[in-house]
Amino acid sequence: MLLRLFVTGLLVVSFVTDSLDAQTKKSPNLLRKKLSKRDERLLQELRSELDRLLSEDAQNNTFWGVHIESLDPKLGVLYALNSEKNFVPASNQKLLVTAAALHYLGESFRFRTSAHTWGKVSPAEHGARRLDGDLIVLSDGNPYHAERFVDSTGGFFFYQLADSLLARNITLINGDLVADDRYVCASLYSQAISGGDGDYALDWAWDDLFYGLAAPASALAFNENCATVTVYPADSVGKAPLVFISPDVGFFKIENRAVTGFAHSKRTLEVVRRFGTNTILVSGSIPMEWRGFRERIAVEQPSLYFLTALKKALEEKGIQVTGKLRRKSETDVYLTDTLPVLALQFSPPLSSILAETNKASNNFFAEQLLRRIGYAYRKEGSLDAGLDAVTAYLNSIGITEKHFYMIDGCGLSRKNRIAPVAIARLLKKQYEADSFETYYQSLAIAGKDGTLQNRLRESKASHVTFAKTGFVGGVRTLSGYFYGEDGEWIVFSIMAMNFTQSRFDIEKIQDRIIDLLAEWAFERAQSL
């Protein structure tokens, strides 16, 4: 059931089964002046339980930071542990970027992709027509050009462009396919890796760069700048396994050095990309009984990847291209924006963009957003401009560099830092904003969807906890909102670092903290 916010001036709370039907910000006239003795006792019991939980021997090798705060000022901070210390946020970093996106871009924002030409249309053979000139594609970082997003965008842009050309009876492009990718500026670091076609954040681990979780940002992006490689065992031991790539647009080269192993043998199969190239190397062994192994591989030179896929789509529709695939250069003197438009497509609105970023913890979307924020901030779609924009926004709401340090937008870098108290302040500021509904509904809902779909299912916190998860090796974070039975909004940030046990053990502790909070809120509501 979708969550809906009804601002009525008085609090209206209604529960149907375990789903929250309506919720609102608490009106000031409902705030009591002081806590009752019962409330004081319940709060002390909550703090004691949290102290005990986080001081158990099993947690001694874990550095915990916790900040839990009610948005009812008479309650204030419910619990704090190392909340002023800085932690690696992992994907909690996306909370900063999505909040800044609402501030700089606005709720009505949509990414945009368009196709243009400076060419002239001339007669061709058999009554068809040809375009004498280049076909130029311009985008501001639209991440939705992938098959899985077709329903939300109203159709695949490549085919829309083809249909637009065919409507003009154009079956031949006597010119180049050109990518106008000015909306994303590659750093010097990225230029050294890929020649400037695609942008990487600093300090991402080099062995992450092969995979989809670290796909480069780009103005023109196809299939989230990656492809899925699937490997199946052959029909007999010793044979090379079968390797498939999707979508297969002829951009990647595959070197298959792997073998099919005996049934129940150890899988040693690895799928990587040769650094700085689009050659995928498959090596090791895949056991006979395996039903398949999948890996998402990031692409190098995403603008050319986009154009390669576009050319293939045009050819499928019967439109041939005689020229090259290339990026717009300084010698191209035209201004793409002033040329006739052949096709135009917008992304879904920012609410959908933020939901994909936060609920699915989509690194690629976060990095695309960061550079678009940078462009809105100072007309430069660079990593530095995006980081400066988010920093300026955080400073404006009272969060200083004492409590955060940013390297990227998605949280993949281990050099990112933020304090739980800073995240709590950010969440409080979003609560006060007119865009609060868009923001909190972009977060995963415990027991329902996103990265929290299978957590807190049997808890009183199910369906009333809206949060962002985060994970890199030795780091597990969880920050967001809890909506109590008395209509109380509570912000929390629970961060764990330096553990060596399973991340699932840490998740159990985080979930227990939310459980205790929900139990406290339930008990407290009984006396109101």
Side-chain angles (χ1 to χ4, degrees), residues 67-233:
H67 190 97
I68 304 173
E69 185 172 350
S70 171
L71 299 184
D72 180 342
K74 78 178 188 306
L75 285 170
V77 178
L78 304 179
Y79 186 81
L81 174 67
N82 298 321
S83 68
E84 298 271 349
K85 302 293 185 183
N86 290 326
F87 289 74
V88 176
S91 281
N92 275 201
Q93 187 88 335
K94 295 181 177 75
L95 292 171
L96 284 60
V97 172
T98 50
L102 282 167
H103 175 73
Y104 288 108
L105 303 178
E107 292 183 87
S108 62
F109 171 79
R110 296 171 185 260
F111 284 101
R112 168 189 170 119
T113 305
S114 54
H116 308 255
T117 185
W118 54 259
K120 303 296 182 181
V121 177
S122 304
E125 296 179 356
H126 309 297
R129 307 175 82 192
R130 73 170 183 269
L131 175 64
D132 291 318
D134 297 339
L135 180 65
I136 307 108
V137 183
L138 173 67
S139 182
D140 60 350
N142 191 344
Y144 279 88
H145 298 302
E147 186 176 353
R148 73 187 185 98
F149 295 124
V150 165
D151 289 343
S152 62
T153 58
F156 201 45
F157 175 77
F158 295 171
Y159 295 136
Q160 288 186 3
L161 173 56
D163 290 342
S164 175
L165 293 170
L166 292 174
R168 295 168 169 83
N169 209 25
I170 296 171
T171 59
L172 177 66
I173 297 173
N174 189 28
D176 297 342
L177 291 187
V178 182
D180 186 340
D181 53 9
R182 74 180 101 128
Y183 275 91
V184 171
C185 306
S187 65
L188 288 175
Y189 170 80
S190 299
Q191 290 178 38
I193 295 175
S194 61
D197 185 356
D199 191 39
Y200 295 97
L202 298 175
D203 196 55
W204 283 0
W206 70 269
D207 53 343
D208 281 342
L209 299 182
F210 306 139
Y211 302 110
L213 84 167
S218 62
L220 275 71
F222 170 64
N223 202 54
E224 299 171 86
N225 287 346
C226 64
T228 300
V229 178
T230 306
V231 183
Y232 296 101

Side-chain angles (χ1 to χ4, degrees), residues 278-351:
N278 285 302
T279 298
I280 297 172
L281 177 61
V282 183
S283 63
S285 172
I286 181 171
M288 278 283 294
E289 80 280 4
W290 275 62
R291 295 184 177 179
F293 175 86
R294 288 178 177 83
E295 192 73 80
R296 292 177 74 238
I297 298 295
V299 70
E300 288 282 6
Q301 300 181 300
S303 291
L304 294 182
Y305 184 44
F306 182 101
L307 293 180
T308 301
L310 172 58
K311 182 180 180 182
K312 185 174 188 293
L314 293 175
E315 289 174 346
E316 288 176 359
K317 288 279 193 170
I319 301 171
Q320 299 301 308
V321 179
T322 64
K324 299 179 295 184
L325 310 184
R326 61 181 179 86
R327 298 168 63 206
K328 187 174 183 288
S329 68
E330 293 179 357
T331 60
D332 293 306
V333 294
Y334 53 80
L335 298 174
T336 305
D337 319 60
T338 66
L339 298 177
V341 177
L342 296 175
L344 174 65
Q345 187 177 80
F346 292 93
S347 75
L350 191 61
S351 57

